[in-house]
Every structure is written in C-alpha cells, then in structure tokens.
C-alpha cells in the first residue's frame, strides 16, 4: 500500500498571516510539522502543497532549502491542489495534514496507516476526543478522485475531505479507536491566532524537541493550566 502525506500550507492565513513560518523551539512551525510527518510509519513521501501565489514563494524556498518535496497549486480550491499533487505520486492512500498543527500525532497516525493496510477501506474515522490539532485524515486516492468530481460546494473545495463526512453513505469507512491517553477535547493545540501561538511557543520551549510525543504534550498542558488557558477562549471558525 503506497501512502503519501500531503501537508497543506500557505502564508495568507486570515487570522495570523505567516503563521507556519513563525519560530518555535530551534526552528519553525513548518519544520515541526514536516519532521513529525516524516516519522509516520508506512508513509512513502511527505509533500508540502502550497499555492502558486507569489506570497507563497517563501514556503517553496523553505522547502527547497530543507530538502522537502513541494507542490504548488490553487490557492482557494484546496481539493484540486491535493488531487493534482497526489496525481504525481499515484498513491493508494493520501494522508491530509494541515501545516498549522506543529504537534500532529505521528504515533497515532502510524497506527491509522497500519489499520488501513489491514482494512483497505475508503476513509478512516477517528473515535475519540483528542485536542484540536493532533489528528490526521487518511483517505483512499480513489475516494479523493470521487470527491473531486462530486464535491461542488465551496466548503467541499476548501476543506478537501468534507464531502466524505457530509455524504458518508457513499464511502466505506473503518473506525480507529483513539487511545484514552489522547482524550482531552478541551485542549487546543493548533495555530490560528496569537493566543494559539503563545501556547505552542511555550510548549515548544519547554520540551525543545520537535518529536516529543503528543501524549507528553497533553500531559504538560493538563499539568500547567496557566499555559492551556492561553487559548482556551478561542473558537474554531465554522465551516460554511
């Protein structure tokens, strides 16, 4: 089974411009994400998929300097960017990761790849209440092609896999039961605002290790509510 990771990335975030190149630890957010994705077992390639906009030249340059594969495509039609990127690698499965998740759980992602290797379904659904910012999505390339044809609404084009959840009856899913030590739904470990950045900066400074286990990150935040509360009031933007 050939599985690739596609990390969607762009400079033009509406709430925190340039967030993925902000410094954390001894590097930056995008370095944390790519390093952690490279640790996912069973993955053949890790690709950063950015846009063809001039403002994202900085991402392409960073990838070149750090020997990271990079693809450039549509800014707003993220689904077509994923499909066009994946087409070059002819994978069986595509794992979707967003670049604003510097502590993406590569251990749980490895388990998800192993599960799909055994089950060979269209998509993995995660049963559990993890903090926002840890989970990945794994979908078959054929299912992604189907979504690209059937998904006509703006939300389908922007959120890549959203169609598969909205029209779940069109796909065969396998359930991944997340370990209980990941259950911490009140924690927010993703980067969208200055408050999010303050939390992530503090966590990275404490561990100074881009490969720290997500379990340790959760435990640290549970033990340090003064850090966890830095962004506890932030609400995720709704899907429209």
């Amino acid at each position: 089974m050939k599985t690739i990771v596609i990390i969607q990335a762009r400079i033009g975030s509406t709430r925190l411009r340039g967030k993925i190149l902000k410094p954390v630890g001894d590097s930056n957010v995008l370095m944390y994400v790519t390093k952690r994705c490279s640790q996912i077992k069973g993955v053949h390639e890790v690709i950063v998929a950015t846009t063809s906009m001039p403002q994202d030249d900085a991402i392409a340059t960073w990838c070149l300097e750090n020997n990271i594969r990079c693809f450039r495509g549509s800014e707003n039609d993220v689904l077509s960017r994923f499909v066009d990127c994946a087409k070059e690698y002819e994978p069986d499965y595509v794992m979707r990761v967003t670049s604003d998740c510097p502590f993406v759980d590569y251990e749980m992602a490895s388990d998800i790849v192993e599960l799909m290797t055994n089950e060979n379904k269209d998509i993995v659904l995660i049963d559990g209440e993890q903090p926002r910012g840890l989970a990945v999505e794994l979908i078959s390339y054929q299912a992604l092609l189907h979504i690209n044809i059937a998904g006509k609404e703006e939300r389908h084009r922007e959120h890549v896999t959203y169609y598969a959840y909205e029209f779940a009856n069109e796909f065969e899913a396998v359930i991944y039961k997340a370990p209980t030590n990941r259950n911490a739904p009140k924690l927010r470990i993703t980067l969208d605002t200055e408050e999010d950045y303050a939390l992530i900066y503090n966590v990275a400074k404490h561990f100074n290790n881009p490969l720290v286990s997500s379990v340790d990150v959760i435990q640290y935040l549970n033990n340090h509510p003064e850090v966890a509360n830095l962004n506890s009031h932030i609400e995720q933007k709704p899907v429209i």
Side-chain angles (χ1 to χ4, degrees), residues 13-138:
S13 168
T14 55
R15 292 209 279 187
L16 188 60
R17 185 177 177 82
K19 61 186 180 181
I20 64 170
L21 295 181
K22 280 185 168 292
V24 290
D26 291 332
S27 55
N28 61 27
V29 172
L30 189 53
M31 178 63 84
Y32 265 59
V33 179
T34 55
K35 275 194 172 184
R36 294 176 75 85
C37 286
S38 70
Q39 297 299 306
I40 300 172
K41 296 176 182 177
V43 163
H44 293 74
E45 300 286 354
V46 175
I47 309 107
V48 171
T50 190
T51 86
S52 55
M53 300 292 290
Q55 64 193 13
D56 288 318
D57 289 351
I59 294 175
T61 299
W62 182 90
C63 288
L64 181 63
E65 292 172 347
N66 290 277
N67 199 31
I68 303 295
R69 292 181 181 270
C70 182
F71 175 87
R72 305 188 73 170
S74 173
E75 179 182 27
N76 296 318
D77 190 346
V78 189
L79 176 55
S80 73
R81 194 195 316 167
F82 263 72
V83 170
D84 291 343
C85 175
K87 192 180 301 180
E88 295 189 6
Y89 298 90
E90 299 183 342
D92 298 302
Y93 285 89
V94 175
M95 181 172 286
R96 177 184 179 229
V97 174
T98 56
S99 57
D100 52 7
C101 298
F103 293 103
V104 59
D105 194 329
Y106 62 88
E107 295 166 316
M108 195 163 64
S110 297
D111 292 340
I112 287 172
V113 172
E114 182 179 10
L115 174 65
M116 188 62 92
T117 301
N118 296 326
E119 295 290 339
N120 196 29
K121 303 293 186 182
D122 293 321
I123 192 169
V124 169
L125 302 179
I126 300 177
D127 179 10
E129 296 184 296
Q130 310 86 47
R132 179 171 292 276
L134 298 190
V136 301
E137 293 180 292
L138 186 62

